[in-house]
Amino acid sequence: MLGRYVDNLLTRLPLQEPAKKVAGTVHQAILDGGKPVRQAVDVLHGTWLGHPLHPVLTDVVIGAWGMGALLDLIGTRRSRLAADTLTEVGAISAVPTALTGLADFSGIKQSAAGAGLSHALMNTIALVFYLFSIRARRKGQRRQGVFLSAVGLGVASASAYVGGHLVYNKKVGVDHSQPTADLSEWRAVLDADKLRAGSPQRITVDGTDIALFRRGNQVFAINAVCPHAGGPLNEGQVEGETVQCPWHDSVFNLSDGALVHGPSTFPVACYEARRRDGKIEIRTRQAESAEDEAAGEESSQEPAYA
Ligand code: FES
């Protein structure tokens, strides 16, 4: 109910078009910066972490500010000192948190751009209230400082709700991967002469869309749906043994599906592929099969609730 109301409200704000322009400009600047900039931005995305870094850092900011508000309420001399310190810790932590948010915003899916910009603007307003609060606290104007930080916390909390809306409603930052096709045996999936270098093919195997690529005598197979936001990897730009998604430029290794550059923080499923008897054949990568079997011995099914 509240989620639908917020969605309607965010949709009516005239932020969608400006947000797309800002995100596109930042994204282009990152691409123009070349490999060193992309590697730095990958750190901000959280490619090294296996999921987005931004929500991890927001916990530090909200945690510090929330605990600071509680200590303000307690109101003893020691708790007030601790509250002042936490107010500043939250404001300092807000800077790297904003940078991770900006990195993610640069690759945000278009349908969520307006909500993303609303989230960023609310966080900026909250930070400004906190900066004025810190100034008042340092000058000894305690009541004013506490009031300003309380307003800031209210705005930050509303913004946190919008952040949750972006993830759980708009599905920003979640893994969009299709399930991996279960191919324990080699399966012929395409006539080999239909797969040419420079012309990837998209096929469907047991309900999973798979992209096939050819480079010289090598054949590669990965899931066709980009884990970042569902882009068609078969339409991506191939360079060496990598493919760049056409939607937000995540780069994946064709030989093992590993993530080379974000904004995706998830790799793409990859299969073994070969040419045999005029056909392209694929199967599940054997290393992954062995891992699945080992995991399956411990537990294979999520138990049902009693
Ligand atoms: S859909 Fe965003 S990088 Fe592929």
Side-chain angles (χ1 to χ4, degrees), residues 27 107-109 176 225-233 244-252 261-264:
H27 184 64
I108 199 166
K109 48 171 139 173
H176 285 72
V225 175
C226 178
H228 175 242
L233 291 177
Q244 180 160 301
C245 178
W247 283 6
H248 312 106
D249 303 297
S250 290
V251 179
F252 302 93
H261 288 300
S264 176

Side-chain angles (χ1 to χ4, degrees), residues 154-189:
V155 177
S157 302
S159 181
Y161 184 92
V162 176
H165 179 77
L166 280 165
V167 175
Y168 298 111
N169 186 299
K170 299 289 185 186
K171 300 192 169 32
V172 171
V174 304
D175 190 349
H176 285 72
S177 299
Q178 280 191 324
T180 310
D182 186 11
L183 296 165
S184 51
E185 305 290 334
W186 286 106
R187 172 122 34 120
V189 291

Side-chain angles (χ1 to χ4, degrees), residues 52-136:
L53 176 60
H54 182 64
V56 178
L57 296 186
T58 58
D59 285 357
V60 179
V61 180
I62 293 281
W65 285 346
M67 189 55 74
L70 194 63
L71 290 166
D72 274 333
L73 275 180
I74 292 172
T76 63
R77 198 178 70 82
R78 287 174 73 180
S79 73
R80 278 193 248 145
L81 272 177
D84 291 351
T85 304
L86 284 170
T87 301
E88 298 196 15
V89 167
I92 292 166
S93 316
V95 176
T97 306
L99 287 175
T100 57
L102 181 63
D104 290 352
F105 179 67
S106 71
I108 199 166
K109 48 171 139 173
Q110 297 206 349
S111 59
L117 186 56
S118 305
H119 179 58
L121 290 174
M122 291 167 84
N123 285 335
T124 305
I125 292 167
L127 180 58
V128 169
F129 272 104
Y130 267 97
L131 291 176
F132 279 116
S133 168
I134 289 167
R135 194 176 72 163

